[in-house]
Amino acid sequence: MKREFIFLGPPACGKGTQTNTLSEYLKLPHVDTGSLLRAEIKNETEAGKEAKSYIDKGQLVPVELVTRIIKNRLSQDDCKNGYILDGFPRSTEQAEQLTKMNEEIDKGIETRFSAIYFDIDTNLLVERIVNRRSCPVCGEIYNLLSKPPKVEGHCDKDGAELTQRKDDTREVAQSRFDTYNKETAPLVEYYTKKGVLKSIDANGTIEEVWERLLKVIND
Ligand code: AMP
């Protein structure tokens, strides 16, 4: 059966770290809209140029743009057994677009859809954001306070120089929380009503949250 996961939660709630691990564990691709958009910006595509001004302000990029990118990605062969979607949908409109594209892509296939919600105390998240670093090569995420790399400034896995996201500043972080509360938080109720929401306590260490995640993915 094709397994389809979406992950919901505020910025820096730990979704990226856990979805990376889950992707290796379930051997399903981790599809992360933020990274796909940042790649478009790096490659200076038309989509990237359009997305940049929204990302720099912590706002959502237009729904048509992000839907096109996601539909293209989910139609690829490596998603045929399922996917772990991180950062999409981020609004009710995007959720409806996702249902539509799944209906098209999954015609005649048996699927199971789950929305995993990271329930977390948001007070500490701005500190997490400003201390976040990531590897531009493998995508591994570090935190200077809670998960520093073994060698300062370099990825443990491949030695690449770690980078900081341009939108991981205090000012943009605040705007991203506002956008989350207004646009994305209503999806918790939306997917609860559909009977597909699984909530996990996302406070605690990476290992503790991973154990809780493992318990709910096969429920
Ligand atoms: P993230 O890496 O998930 O924190 O996303 C970084 C930024 O990319 C967000 O603040 C938005 O500007 C943009 N973005 C990512 N995913 C979406 C989406 N599904 N819809 C609209 N904008 C998005």
Side-chain angles (χ1 to χ4, degrees), residues 87-177:
F88 186 92
R90 255 173 153 104
S91 66
T92 311
E93 192 182 359
Q94 291 185 11
E96 277 158 12
Q97 291 291 337
L98 178 63
T99 306
K100 230 164 84 187
M101 67 178 98
N102 278 339
E103 279 166 6
E104 281 175 36
I105 297 170
D106 298 339
K107 254 191 206 113
I109 303 175
E110 202 187 346
T111 61
R112 183 162 170 219
F113 181 94
S114 310
I116 313 282
Y117 170 51
F118 276 43
D119 191 2
I120 191 162
D121 175 0
T122 54
N123 287 329
L124 303 171
L125 296 184
V126 172
E127 286 316 303
R128 225 189 232 190
I129 285 183
V130 295
N131 284 293
R132 178 159 65 180
R133 301 291 183 272
S134 61
C135 174
V137 176
C138 71
E140 185 74 1
I141 301 166
Y142 296 88
N143 186 285
L144 300 184
L145 304 178
S146 58
K147 187 193 166 191
K150 292 196 181 85
V151 177
E152 197 184 323
H154 292 271
C155 180
D156 294 350
K157 289 189 173 169
D158 51 38
E161 199 167 332
L162 300 179
T163 53
Q164 181 174 25
R165 281 172 43 176
K166 209 167 159 255
D167 59 345
D168 274 351
T169 61
R170 250 170 241 284
E171 299 69 32
V172 184
Q174 195 47 57
S175 161
R176 285 159 60 203
F177 281 109

Side-chain angles (χ1 to χ4, degrees), residues 11 15 32-35 37-38 51 54-56 58-63 66 86-90 94 132 165 167 176:
K15 293 188 273 95
D32 160 17
T33 33
S35 298
L37 290 166
R38 284 187 287 280
Y54 295 92
I55 294 181
D56 286 351
Q59 297 168 354
L60 295 187
V61 308
V63 63
V66 75
D86 170 9
F88 186 92
R90 255 173 153 104
Q94 291 185 11
R132 178 159 65 180
R165 281 172 43 176
D167 59 345
R176 285 159 60 203

